[in-house]
Amino acid sequence: MAKPCNVTLYALSTCIHCKKTKQFLEDNDVQFKVVYVDQLTGDERKEAIARIKEYNPKLSFPTIIIDEGVCVIVGFQKEEIQEALDI
Amino acid sequence: MSKQMTVEQLFEMLKKFQEPKGYFFNKDMTMTMPLLENLLVNKERYGYMACPCRLPNGTFEDDKDIVCPCVYREEDMKEYGACFCGLYVTAEVNEREDTSIVVPERRPPEKILGQD
């Protein structure tokens, strides 16, 4: 059972690694919020980019932010996700 | 208006040009086909095939470094055996059972606009 964490997945709607990460979280019953940055415009896009950059200066996707940055996982890193969320 | 290219047509066309140069499609078709499909989605959205795994700015001039094949592919393949999104891999990587490789982003973040 996944630990109760605040998990946000910053993703692109066209990205295969993002899709696989999302699927992996779903398959493991993780509660999370997904933000498709390529579908945002204006201030929403700027805010999302600023937030990601705070935790992942390379601004790459997927970026998973857990509990306000207690843990940040960049890329589809199965083992890191499993460890961080205890799944 | 020309008929949109199908994924299969794109696959055949790119394969013919890229494989002789040593850029092989990832044999994992659960990666390759969605990536090609999303190149076509980006072509519809932006007018050019921006890398599906990067955030486009929306104009060709600002995104020409990430139009597939991106300018970072050669270095990524040399160092990791795969391009950033994993569409292209080396022949050696395609011989492995698992061809999924996490390639860190090489595109400078300053290239992504609208972040102030």
Side-chain angles (χ1 to χ4, degrees), chain A residues 12-17 19-20 37-39 45-46 49-50 53 57-61 74-77, chain B residues 28 30-31 34-35 38 41-42 45 52-57 84-85 102 105 109 112-116:
Chain A
L12 301 175
S13 64
T14 53
C15 168
I16 188 70
H17 307 288
K19 192 177 166 190
K20 290 193 171 193
V37 182
D38 60 321
Q39 292 178 342
R45 177 181 153 109
K46 281 187 187 170
I49 289 176
K53 211 178 174 192
K58 286 191 172 176
L59 255 178
S60 56
F61 300 89
V74 175
F76 179 33
Q77 312 265 14
Chain B
D28 180 354
T30 70
M31 295 266 303
L35 283 166
N38 283 309
V41 167
N42 279 349
R45 280 167 93 178
C53 298
R54 290 180 163 115
L55 183 61
N57 294 302
F84 178 70
C85 72
V102 177
E105 176 60 297
I112 302 176
L113 310 174
Q115 50 184 295
D116 302 325

Side-chain angles (χ1 to χ4, degrees), chain B residues 42-56:
Chain B
N42 279 349
K43 189 160 189 275
E44 270 299 288
R45 280 167 93 178
Y46 307 110
Y48 47 90
M49 290 196 275
C51 176
C53 298
R54 290 180 163 115
L55 183 61

Side-chain angles (χ1 to χ4, degrees), chain A residues 3-4 7-8 11 15 20 25 29 32-33 36 38-39 41-42 45 47 49-50 54-55 62 67 69 73 78 84:
Chain A
K3 276 199 290 190
V7 181
T8 306
C15 168
K20 290 193 171 193
L25 293 173
D29 295 323
F32 65 101
K33 182 180 143 192
Y36 289 113
D38 60 321
Q39 292 178 342
T41 53
R45 177 181 153 109
E47 280 162 26
I49 289 176
E54 201 179 314
Y55 299 107
D67 288 339
I73 300 165
K78 262 192 213 178

Side-chain angles (χ1 to χ4, degrees), chain B residues 90-105:
Chain B
T90 60
E92 293 74 30
V93 166
N94 251 354
E95 280 166 21
R96 296 186 204 164
E97 194 178 329
D98 183 2
T99 57
S100 58
I101 297 172
V102 177
V103 177
E105 176 60 297

Side-chain angles (χ1 to χ4, degrees), chain A residues 57-84:
Chain A
K58 286 191 172 176
L59 255 178
S60 56
F61 300 89
T63 296
I64 303 174
I65 299 175
I66 301 169
D67 288 339
E68 298 304 314
V70 168
C71 185
V72 178
I73 300 165
V74 175
F76 179 33
Q77 312 265 14
K78 262 192 213 178
E79 283 168 16
E80 286 187 27
I81 298 170
Q82 281 170 324
E83 198 178 321

